[in-house]
Amino acid sequence: MSKSLKRVMAALHDAGLDITPLELGPETRTAQQAADAAGCDLDQIAKSVIFAGQSSGKAILFVTAGGNQVDAAKASAVAGEPLGKADAALIRAQTGFAIGGVAPIGHLSPITAFFDPRLAEFAVIYAAAGTPRHIFPISPDALQKISGAQPADFTS
């Protein structure tokens, strides 16, 4: 089991949740592929999108519904600073995850996070569990609580 998956499982356990991540096939690199593998709606996939704060230099997380896109202007307004593309090195250094498996929880360092209200429309959503092949089911309320993500309008 990877260190990243172990961190996500530990974060779930520390939050008092008994959730077992699901292992998907190798072809689950997109939200649609993950939704197909999980047998759920595309918007039930909670994508973790990381931007780099241009003033702070810190990674900023936007947890969004699978079918939504993060609007850069809205996201910058929500974050309170201009945002740019986060490179793989920044993402790895601040979250501990590689691109393609960034989880909304279990980061190496605390992270500023925002939550797409569309996700709250479902009883269960699925988020990356630290690898490109693992996701975990969780209620939107529980994910928002343990990730510390603030609800905000940042999609187009």
Side-chain angles (χ1 to χ4, degrees):
M1 180 183 309
S2 75
K3 291 178 189 175
S4 296
L5 180 58
K6 285 180 184 177
R7 276 200 327 275
V8 170
M9 292 178 70
L12 292 168
H13 181 269
D14 291 349
L17 300 171
D18 184 20
I19 295 174
T20 302
L22 309 170
E23 185 168 0
L24 307 176
E27 294 302 316
T28 52
R29 298 226 176 248
T30 69
Q32 185 63 63
Q33 289 170 335
D36 291 346
C40 69
D41 186 85
L42 174 61
D43 280 350
Q44 284 179 270
I45 300 298
K47 298 187 297 190
S48 294
V49 181
I50 304 278
F51 283 89
Q54 296 298 287
S55 303
S56 66
K58 295 192 177 205
I60 299 174
L61 170 65
F62 293 86
V63 181
T64 187
N68 285 348
Q69 298 296 316
V70 177
D71 179 289
K74 287 182 177 181
S76 292
V78 166
E81 68 177 301
L83 299 176
K85 184 177 181 195
D87 64 21
L90 174 76
I91 293 170
R92 174 72 82 173
Q94 292 193 17
T95 70
F97 299 114
I99 292 173
V102 177
I105 59 173
H107 299 145
L108 293 178
S109 304
I111 192 168
T112 300
F114 299 97
F115 196 82
D116 182 350
R118 170 75 172 121
L119 292 166
E121 297 175 19
F122 300 97
V124 174
I125 57 176
Y126 298 84
T131 81
R133 293 182 333 276
H134 292 87
I135 60 174
F136 63 94
I138 191 168
S139 75
D141 287 344
L143 182 59
Q144 190 176 341
K145 181 180 177 184
I146 64 175
S147 68
Q150 299 300 311
D153 176 17
F154 55 81
T155 63
S156 51

